Amino acid sequence: MSEAASRAVRLPADHQPVAVGRIGVLLLNLGTPDATDYWSMRRYLKEFLSDRRVIETPRILWWPLLNGVILTTRPARKGRDYETIWNRERNESPLKTITRSQAEKLAQRLASLPGGEEGRIVVDWAMRYGNPSIKERLEALQRAGCDRILLVPLYPQYAAATTATACDKAFEALMRMRWQPTIRVSPPYHDDPVYIGAVVDSLKAELAKLPFEPEIIIASFHGVPKDYHLKGDPYHCQCQKTVRLMREALGLPPERLLLTFQSRFGRAEWLQPYTDMTVKGLAEKGVKRLAVITPGFSADCLETLEEIAGENAEIFREHGGEHFAAIPCLNDSPEGMRVIEHIVRRELQGWI
């Protein structure tokens, strides 16, 4: 008999029905608009850019700029960008498609755990911005009888603007629950040997498929303002360590595997070197064959499919480059699922 069934048997005969004894695993990713039209993009961008962890500019300065300029002009432009990568079959962004698949495949892999086949472990997924929301899926897990829930932020490197804000949203939902489930949060895994091994194995496999050998490989990470780093955010250091470990595993010197930061926004200085400027500079110096990998993203999204494979490929060729390859993220590949399963199995110890 499962633990859930055993606990249910011990309830008094006149006790109101209650589901207990199950364990939830909630995968968390950044977010996605519901559609590419102006108003869908505006809702998504407003939620994202209103987050105080994402934009730390004082509200008195940021609010007029956000509502008067950015949310008037940016939704249409970003909507066109999303149109270039949109999953038309499912009418959703690739990030949503891939994250759902990661959750489904993880559920299959956890079926071998004690109670897994009996449905004791429930795997779900949510987005920090957009749908399905963290609040919605936490409540669904609780209704399903999950009195213990593991939150798994799918960000290898910790940043306040990613991992922390996802946890903030989860804790905000917990504040409104009368009967809170017990919560664990999986830690960042930027230097986990299984993660490094998966990234390296995936990179080798993708390079073997190319009709050319890259002269240089760039590891591009999403950027954050330099000021956040100076205030103590460990993101920059964790990105540096990830790339150092990748270099060691691949046997490459620093000049063959570069670290850069992409997706800067606004006029403030962000972490450098910038990906687009590096790509431009390499092409101008005579580099003809370039590959870019994005190990900070657990799933392909706008920043990898449109910004790297689209914009940066164009920049490279416009300035003299010839062959450009955007290496896919780990996604729901065997390597990617190996990482997620490893993290979840490790963090569930003591609960199963």
Side-chain angles (χ1 to χ4, degrees):
M1 179 182 295
S2 69
E3 180 180 338
S6 175
R7 292 173 67 177
V9 168
R10 294 197 295 270
L11 293 174
D14 60 347
H15 198 287
Q16 65 182 22
V18 59
V20 294
R22 303 178 87 184
I23 295 172
V25 177
L26 187 60
L27 304 185
L28 305 177
N29 219 321
L30 188 69
T32 173
D34 294 323
T36 62
D37 62 276
Y38 175 86
W39 290 107
S40 296
M41 289 302 311
R42 182 184 171 95
R43 284 193 300 272
Y44 171 70
L45 289 172
K46 184 169 185 178
E47 182 182 10
F48 178 46
L49 297 176
S50 297
D51 190 331
R52 290 178 181 270
R53 285 200 187 266
V54 174
I55 304 295
E56 296 185 4
T57 304
R59 299 292 96 170
I60 193 171
L61 299 176
W62 177 242
W63 220 240
L65 179 61
L66 175 63
N67 291 281
V69 179
I70 295 172
L71 293 180
T72 301
T73 61
R74 196 169 177 82
R77 185 168 68 253
K78 299 308 291 184
R80 289 192 294 270
D81 290 342
Y82 268 99
E83 277 287 332
T84 66
I85 67 164
W86 203 249
N87 181 343
R88 302 189 186 285
E89 182 179 349
R90 286 183 173 267
N91 191 27
E92 63 187 21
S93 74
L95 182 64
K96 182 176 284 189
T97 303
I98 295 167
T99 307
R100 179 192 297 108
S101 180
Q102 289 170 327
E104 292 172 349
K105 290 184 177 181
L106 178 63
Q108 295 171 1
R109 287 169 171 253
L110 297 183
S112 62
L113 291 174
E117 293 181 352
E118 302 170 19
R120 185 182 174 217
I121 301 171
V122 183
V123 179
D124 207 337
W125 58 282
M127 297 291 175
R128 168 60 185 92
Y129 311 104
N131 296 301
S133 71
I134 294 174
K135 177 179 182 293
E136 171 196 332
R137 301 325 301 163
L138 276 176
E139 291 174 347
L141 287 171
Q142 187 188 44
R143 288 194 301 271
C146 297
D147 47 26
R148 303 181 189 188
I149 298 175
L150 172 65
L151 304 179
V152 186
L154 293 176
Y155 314 113
Q157 297 78 23
Y158 174 95
T162 53
T163 307
T165 190
C167 291
D168 286 349
K169 208 64 180 175
F171 300 146
E172 182 181 296
L174 291 169
M175 289 172 62
R176 291 166 172 77
M177 290 184 179
R178 180 171 295 278
W179 184 0
Q180 292 181 338
T182 297
I183 296 291
R184 285 181 180 173
V185 180
S186 64
Y189 48 97
H190 63 284
D191 58 355
D192 189 292
V194 174
Y195 160 68
I196 298 296
V199 171
V200 168
D201 289 347
S202 177
L203 175 58
K204 288 179 178 178
E206 293 298 326
L207 291 178
K209 299 176 186 177
L210 297 178
F212 65 92
E213 181 179 353
E215 299 164 67
I216 292 176
I217 301 169
I218 291 177
S220 180
F221 294 81
H222 199 292
V224 299
K226 181 180 178 180
D227 186 52
Y228 296 8
H229 168 61
L230 297 177
K231 290 178 179 177
D233 196 304
Y235 180 71
H236 181 263
C237 298
Q238 294 188 3
C239 292
Q240 292 280 359
K241 187 172 185 180
T242 293
V243 175
R244 176 175 63 79
L245 294 173
M246 288 176 61
R247 288 188 188 119
E248 292 174 359
L250 290 163
L252 293 177
E255 62 270 17
R256 286 286 313 282
L257 177 57
L258 308 179
L259 181 152
T260 64
F261 296 94
Q262 64 183 83
S263 310
R264 65 188 183 277
F265 175 76
R267 297 181 179 179
E269 181 181 357
W270 282 44
L271 295 179
Q272 295 193 41
Y274 299 139
T275 299
D276 55 356
M277 298 305 294
T278 301
V279 167
K280 177 177 179 288
L282 289 174
E284 290 175 339
K285 290 178 181 177
V287 173
K288 301 298 183 182
R289 305 182 306 278
L290 181 66
V292 180
I293 186 172
T294 49
F297 296 86
S298 62
D300 276 306
C301 55
L302 186 73
E303 286 77 10
T304 65
L305 298 173
E306 194 277 332
E307 185 178 352
I308 296 299
E311 291 179 19
N312 278 270
E314 185 176 342
I315 291 171
F316 185 63
R317 295 189 179 102
E318 283 181 351
H319 291 86
E322 296 178 359
H323 302 285
F324 183 98
I327 305 299
C329 295
L330 291 178
N331 295 322
D332 59 347
S333 67
E335 292 84 4
M337 294 312 305
R338 185 168 79 238
V339 175
I340 297 174
E341 181 184 5
H342 161 70
I343 293 166
V344 170
R345 283 179 177 263
R346 182 189 66 203
E347 297 305 317
L348 286 180
Q349 292 185 49
W351 281 4
I352 57 174

